[in-house]
Amino acid sequence: MPSPDLVDTERVSATIEAEAEKERRQDGKIAQLELTIEQTWADITPPEAVAGGDDGHLLDQAASLAALDPHVPIESRRGLRGVKWLIRKLTYWYIRFLTDQFNVFAGLLIRHLRSLEARLGHLEAAASQPDDHSDSTTLVCLDDPPEPSPTVASRVAESAGSGPCLVLSGGEGAIVQAIGERGIRVRGVEQDPDRVLAGLRRGIDIRPGDALAHLADADTEGFGTIVLTGFVEKLSLVDLQGVIDQASRTLMNPGRIIVVVADPANRSRVDADLGSGLGISPITWRHLLERAGFDARLESCPDSRIAEIVVAHRTAIPSVDSNPSQS
């Protein structure tokens, strides 16, 4: 028969959990804070688990160590285990908040360190090949396209088809937000960490990373709508053709590709010189998409920079059994 002096840990635990759940239901701010922390942590965490080890990469090891576990061990002896378990429950909510804050900070720090590492790698590669500086210099000197105006974002949202939708580049989330407000599941990918953070602060699903790499990794997902903007204005024709091919493989049937770019012919003299050979006009985009098997059209947009957007519907999936060598 149990002693009356012993603490009923199960009953105390159930009471604590019930009170915590009641507080969470009554105070929506707590649930919103938890959701914000989880979304931010999911966005900045690498998609694959990083295995630690003496031979592993320093940043990979730091990223794995950043994921702290607030659950302390509770031993195996029955009496001591119950006391420690009760103490852990009483302090869990506060420790979890502090741990999540630290994990978010550590994740952001790892993200910026990775970006710094990538930039140093580009500098080392450029230093080892002094005769091939033209492309890298052009991309550095050529400014990134500005955030789409509300007029452009609204026009793209009206032309978006079924979801899920992928926006490349997502920027600060103007287009992503406009499409999401129409009830379509959408996410964006942006390489600039400052723009990513600006979008996350507004509660928009913007994920950090290279747009081309993300498009290749999402090959098996399937999207109903893919929006190409931002980064495509700084790619050469060969790279743009590869983007179309990759987007075609990722797109569902039926599906559509929307291209939101400024006409290179309207660039200023400086941008025209720096961006020579980079980017193509909307009408050329329409031509390439039609050659890829899409039914493409130009739609006017009352914006000072984006005068036309390209909306391309897939008419048929190319046959995988076709062999060009047999033609």
Side-chain angles (χ1 to χ4, degrees):
M1 183 174 181
S3 174
D5 296 334
L6 294 179
V7 179
D8 189 350
T9 56
E10 294 184 359
R11 182 178 60 82
V12 174
S13 174
T15 302
I16 294 174
E17 292 180 354
E19 292 179 354
E21 185 64 26
K22 178 181 178 181
E23 184 69 21
R24 179 180 297 177
R25 288 196 303 266
Q26 293 178 349
D27 189 355
K29 187 177 181 180
I30 295 178
Q32 183 63 34
L33 288 175
E34 290 183 348
L35 178 61
T36 301
I37 292 174
E38 291 175 358
Q39 288 179 344
T40 305
W41 180 237
D43 290 334
I44 63 179
T45 301
E48 298 178 355
V50 181
D54 294 336
D55 299 331
H57 196 279
L58 176 60
L59 293 180
D60 294 337
Q61 295 181 28
S64 63
L65 291 176
L68 299 181
D69 186 2
H71 295 284
V72 297
I74 58 177
E75 297 290 346
S76 58
R77 288 181 293 177
R78 188 168 185 177
L80 184 60
R81 179 179 59 188
V83 174
K84 288 189 174 182
W85 182 85
L86 177 60
I87 296 175
R88 187 183 71 178
K89 268 297 182 181
L90 292 174
T91 58
Y92 170 74
W93 302 108
Y94 179 68
I95 294 178
R96 177 183 176 184
F97 177 77
L98 295 180
T99 304
D100 287 341
Q101 293 296 318
F102 176 80
N103 285 340
V104 170
F105 170 76
L108 289 174
L109 182 60
I110 293 297
R111 169 63 185 163
H112 283 287
L113 288 176
R114 291 186 186 277
S115 176
L116 179 60
E117 180 192 36
R119 294 182 181 181
L120 290 177
H122 291 322
L123 290 176
E124 291 176 354
S128 63
Q129 300 177 0
D131 295 334
D132 190 16
H133 283 177
S134 57
D135 292 341
S136 60
T137 302
T138 296
L139 292 178
V140 171
C141 296
L142 189 62
D143 294 335
D144 290 332
E147 186 74 4
S149 66
T151 301
V152 174
S154 176
R155 193 72 183 86
V156 174
E158 293 174 359
S159 301
S162 60
C165 180
L166 179 65
V167 180
L168 307 171
S169 301
E172 297 181 5
I175 294 179
V176 177
Q177 183 178 19
I179 295 177
E181 290 175 350
R182 298 178 65 87
I184 301 176
R185 185 158 58 92
V186 57
R187 73 171 184 256
V189 178
E190 173 59 47
Q191 189 169 5
D192 187 346
D194 294 330
R195 292 187 173 185
V196 173
L197 290 177
L200 289 175
R201 292 191 187 101
R202 295 159 53 197
I204 302 174
D205 189 357
I206 299 292
R207 307 185 184 186
D210 181 78
L212 291 176
H214 189 89
L215 186 61
D217 294 339
D219 193 5
T220 58
E221 286 191 49
F223 293 93
T225 303
I226 298 178
V227 180
L228 300 176
T229 184
F231 82 106
V232 292
E233 295 190 28
K234 298 174 64 176
L235 296 182
S236 63
L237 180 58
V238 175
D239 295 330
L240 292 175
Q241 187 64 60
V243 171
I244 294 176
D245 294 340
Q246 185 62 49
S248 299
R249 290 192 291 268
T250 309
L251 197 66
M252 295 188 301
N253 188 36
R256 66 184 64 183
I257 294 177
I258 302 176
V259 183
V260 187
V261 295
D263 194 332
N266 298 329
R267 289 173 176 168
S268 65
R269 181 62 182 271
V270 174
D271 290 340
D273 291 340
L274 293 176
S276 178
L278 302 179
I280 56 178
S281 65
I283 193 171
T284 308
W285 270 103
R286 184 185 66 178
H287 173 76
L288 293 179
L289 288 168
E290 288 176 346
R291 292 287 300 271
F294 288 85
D295 180 12
R297 68 178 187 273
L298 295 176
E299 295 187 357
S300 60
C301 181
D303 183 73
S304 59
R305 186 173 185 273
I306 308 294
E308 294 176 317
I309 64 174
V310 185
V311 181
H313 301 262
R314 189 200 293 277
T315 56
I317 296 181
S319 175
V320 296
D321 297 332
S322 60
N323 187 355
S325 62
Q326 297 177 356
S327 58

